[in-house]
Amino acid sequence: MTAVNRVAVVGTGVSGLAAAIQLARAGVVVEVFEANAELSALGSGISLQGNALRAFAELGVWEEASAAGFPFDGMGMRAPGPQAPVIARREEGEDPASGLPSAMGMPRADLTRILHDHAVRAGATVRFGQRVTGVNVTEDHAELLLESGPAGRYDLVIGADGLHSTVRTALGISAEPEHTGMGIWRAFVSRPAEVQFTELYYGGPCYIAGYTPTGQDSMYAFLVSDAGDHFGATAEEGAAAMIEQSRAYGGPWDQVRADLAAGNAQVNYTWFTQHVVPGRWNRGRAVIIGDAAHSCPPTIAQGAAQGLEDALVLTELLVERAALDEDLWEEFHARRVERATAIVDASVQLAEWQRDGQDHSADVPGLLGGVAQRVAVRA
């Protein structure tokens, strides 16, 4: 017996699809509602730490994800300048319990596709072009409202609809993402053979520059600086901005600039945000997870990982318990709110170090090591 029999999931991001996979496999009727007409192919690559990879293993998608991505060990740090000398290398090795690598990069679109396909194979129904406008919650059901009218009644509505969550607003939760004052350019480019793991450059004209391998022939490169109004930039303007801002960085950045100049790169720009919904993430039979509940700068690559953990903890409780009661919600929040808050705080701390103009490069491995120790604990 499960605590729910029929569930609506809003959003086809990693947390929503992960929840759909686990619930559908347990025999729950799952309907996923996505406002867009199809799966998003936007974005570049994504960096994934060990806890995300363990989540993939639990979801049964590790083999496909690893084949679509580039597993690697640890990270490196370089100094700016034409020679881009390596100044540090942190190695972690495989997780002794699972045998999984410590990190991986992969194209975002491939990750979404893999999770979607597994959700459908598990029995979930995914409805595209269905924009949610509201949620009505009563003691014994939650009604999901669409632009086209009511979608039906469910035992639970899971709002996994991102930073600007409609479900969060509908539930009367006022906490929203706040801009940190920093922005990031990302480019999906070819991978030089020497790039075997994430490398970060501290100093120079940007707060941080770096890249992560995402496949045998691909990687994504990024530049972090003060937030600007670049959302209307054309592909050519974005490429030109990245070329100009990265001139102080040598090594593999030479190949990145060549791809950008040749028009062989997908470029996008976003701002850093931070927030954690304090206290409860549910309002009766509706709950928010993932970016709807918390967001953090990508400085320690934990955004998707924390959304995956939300989904796995929530679905574990829904499948193992017989009732959707206060005991279930208390355990969910006890296991997730403090943990997500610690990750957001660590991500923001590293971003603040980057902004304060002082050299904290010697402190970075310690902070990352502390975070790695925390996220190594099963959620």
Side-chain angles (χ1 to χ4, degrees), residues 119-181:
V120 171
R121 288 201 292 270
T125 300
V126 182
R127 305 186 187 281
F128 291 99
Q130 302 294 315
R131 186 173 297 279
V132 172
T133 59
V135 182
N136 291 330
V137 180
T138 71
E139 185 175 346
D140 60 359
H141 71 265
E143 182 181 30
L144 192 66
L145 306 177
L146 308 175
E147 281 185 338
S148 57
R153 294 182 175 184
Y154 301 87
D155 297 323
L156 177 67
V157 169
I158 300 175
D161 49 343
L163 288 176
H164 308 293
S165 170
T166 298
V167 175
R168 184 180 64 222
T169 301
L171 297 182
I173 298 174
S174 59
E176 294 185 349
E178 300 176 359
H179 296 146
T180 68

Side-chain angles (χ1 to χ4, degrees), residues 29 43 66 158 169 216-217 232 270 300 302 307 317 328 347:
V29 175
S66 61
I158 300 175
T169 301
Q216 292 304 312
D217 302 314
T270 57
I300 57 174
Q302 278 295 306
L317 295 172
L328 184 151
S347 302

